[in-house]
Amino acid sequence: KDRRDTVLYRMERIGVISPEEYDYYSQKDIMDGIVPEGDGNEIFKSIEPQHQEYLDQVMRQLQEETGLNIRHTQVKVHTTLDTEKQEYLNKLVYTNEIFDWAGKELEATIAVTSVKDGHVVAIAGGNSNTKEIGHIDGFSYPINGFQQPGSVIKTVIDYAPALHYLDKNMTDKITDKETKYSTGQIVYNYDMRYLGEMPLSQALTGSRNTTALQLMQQVGIDKAYQFANELGLNIPQDEWFESGAIGAMNIPMIDLANAYATIANKGVRNDLTYISKITDMNNISLWSPDEGRRVMGSDKAYQLIDALRQTVQDQEIGFGRWAMVEGYDIAGKTGTNNFDETEELGGSNLAPSVAFAGITPDVSIAIYIQGETRLRGLVYPEEQTLPSKIYNILLPYMSSDKTKFTP
């Protein structure tokens, strides 16, 4: 009791708790709140299996933020889980009820976050054969898996830093021309052509590799990665390479969704959270998420949004058009990875994986599709459009908000 009261006294002196809270807690019996051995696990008996992957992340965050273990502490943890949306996503990824995965030997990884507050709405990854693996030691494909995003990352790591640090605008001109890495190796566009001068917006939506690398080189590799991490990525410094300018990196889909959410939120970054608040048994707040912080100017963020609208609205070229849902204001970017020339499928029109990140003013969704094995290869164009098509199916169930982006 003396030790507890000393801790409470210090908490009151530095303002962590109020004098009234100090009086309240110091009067309580020292055994109040101690959970008998074994009782701490009772809370998990009512958890539906389809929510386990999400619950694993709640437990991890609780431990990281507070040091508490809910199995041995009486607290109320208010999560951001939307059970209906999570169950719909589970059906979409793990069954053939919504989308027919039968015999396709494909895996989907999907993360859905709230733009306004960083709440993780729903997560799922794998397929009907691998879903149980996702619960071993709390592993989760969207959280712990590393997916190669391809061109979908260019918005975050090339264009956003250029607008922020170099004060560029999406109407500024850039030249699609022969461009080399610092090693002297030439970077090629997907169509093996150079299209000359064009606005930054066209270079982004047209997914030109040369212009993406030029922008990273103008900003500087370190600053480009630092800013991408400010937006929501978590790329360690020993993985900061020039090739990341065109998507040659590995990131979890949850981080990609968060970075795009920051852009959708007009440059205000919210840290991802699975917990909306933690209280004691008397509903006194013990923890709540931090407020969002501005990391990018709202005008620059809106320029990116406006450019990315074209990816979805352009009905002539690209895969983004399959994501369009009537009535929603959608901005997004596609990404297609290629086999290396040295691989068995090198030079073919098959792709090892494809991705799509889509945002509305309400939700950010990142989707990644790959074969069960790398050499499964996704067929052009029907399978390489799957992320956009899945987004089209998923968005109306994740959000009913049809408000428009505004400058």
Side-chain angles (χ1 to χ4, degrees), residues 50 54 81-90 122-123:
Q50 62 264 37
Y54 197 102
L81 173 66
D82 186 313
T83 56
E84 290 186 2
K85 293 176 180 178
Q86 182 64 60
E87 288 166 15
Y88 182 87
L89 183 58
N90 286 347
I123 53 173

Side-chain angles (χ1 to χ4, degrees), residues 330-370:
I330 302 169
K333 183 76 181 78
T334 60
T336 303
N337 292 303
N338 300 308
F339 288 104
D340 188 88
E341 291 295 332
T342 61
E343 294 184 86
E344 182 180 334
L345 296 178
S348 72
N349 65 356
L350 299 177
S353 59
V354 286
F356 179 76
I359 49 176
T360 70
D362 186 43
V363 292
S364 177
I365 302 176
I367 301 172
Y368 183 83
I369 307 290
Q370 64 182 355

